[in-house]
Amino acid sequence: MTRPEPPAPWAHLPFFHDTWPALWQRLEAAPPWAPAPDRLFRALALTPPAAVRVVILGQDPYHTPGRATGLAFAFPPGTPPRDSLRNILIEAAADTGATPNPELTGWARQGVLLLNTVLSVPLGQAHGHKGWGWEALTEQVLHHLAATGPRAFLLWGAPAQRLCRALPRNGHLFVESAHPSPLSARRGFFGSRPFSAANRWLAARGQAEIDWSA
């Protein structure tokens, strides 16, 4: 396998010089994992730093073969949404009337960064690459975004909220709720209305709203 190159607008982050070469060697020697190598940095490639307006954090990719797309929570074309994504789509419809495409590329192209905390996962083993070094990239992305302009952070669940605890609060929007997983969606995700909250904040700043139906 050829080591994927970082998307140019993000290549300045220390992760790509300090951590990525050794992490790639470890991935090359590991059992099958997802997503495909050319999709590892897909979220960053679709949404460069200057375009980011909203940040949504996932945990790690789907570990079911063929399901991980490189975008947090997204499903591949032709695959009926389940689990967390199904609940996200339910809340988007209730909140804004939107009927999003489960691929979520329309969100990414409008400036919604759909970033997992860990960008790879062994097939059939959730969280199997946790602690391998991906977390350094996520932290660097978040701190870079927080330092370079106002953003809306939609933080679903305690892990995402912990990751953003050290970010400066001034100028940004933070919308926190329970995670959309089937185990917790009814404990505060449903009814949290994160999509309309982000759009109100964007509109107040004179920016175009996100078309959550895209």
Side-chain angles (χ1 to χ4, degrees):
M1 291 186 290
T2 301
R3 187 175 77 196
E5 293 295 323
W10 298 98
H12 66 283
L13 294 178
F15 167 86
F16 291 111
H17 309 284
D18 301 340
T19 306
W20 177 227
L23 175 52
W24 175 250
Q25 288 184 338
R26 193 172 181 185
L27 287 170
E28 281 190 300
W33 45 268
D38 63 355
R39 294 197 159 204
L40 281 172
F41 301 124
R42 186 166 177 248
L44 300 178
L46 284 174
T47 317
V52 176
R53 299 189 288 149
V54 179
V55 178
I56 296 176
L57 291 174
Q59 295 184 39
D60 61 351
Y62 298 116
H63 58 86
T64 301
R67 188 170 292 177
T69 70
L71 298 180
F73 298 109
F75 265 44
T79 305
R82 298 176 54 194
D83 304 327
S84 293
L85 179 59
R86 181 174 180 275
N87 292 334
I88 290 168
L89 301 184
I90 290 171
E91 179 62 19
D95 185 9
T96 68
T99 53
N101 186 320
E103 296 178 48
L104 304 185
T105 53
W107 292 8
R109 292 193 173 102
Q110 293 180 80
V112 181
L113 180 62
L114 296 159
L115 184 66
N116 280 315
T117 305
V118 174
L119 300 193
S120 63
V121 66
L123 294 181
Q125 185 184 346
H127 309 297
H129 289 170
K130 184 178 180 180
W132 279 34
W134 287 119
E135 294 86 351
L137 174 60
T138 306
E139 290 176 7
Q140 290 169 23
V141 167
L142 292 172
H143 282 275
H144 175 71
L145 293 174
T148 54
R151 267 88 183 194
F153 294 86
L154 308 186
L155 306 179
W156 301 333
Q161 292 158 21
R162 281 196 299 270
L163 276 171
C164 293
R165 196 165 289 160
L167 299 182
R169 258 40 191 176
N170 293 342
H172 303 295
L173 173 70
F174 293 88
V175 180
E176 299 185 356
S177 73
H179 193 274
S181 76
L183 294 175
S184 57
R186 298 190 183 280
R187 300 176 187 169
F189 177 74
F190 288 140
S192 62
R193 302 181 67 84
F195 308 102
S196 60
N199 275 352
R200 285 194 302 272
W201 182 81
L202 290 168
R205 303 190 62 83
Q207 298 185 38
E209 298 182 1
I210 302 296
D211 177 7
W212 297 108
S213 287

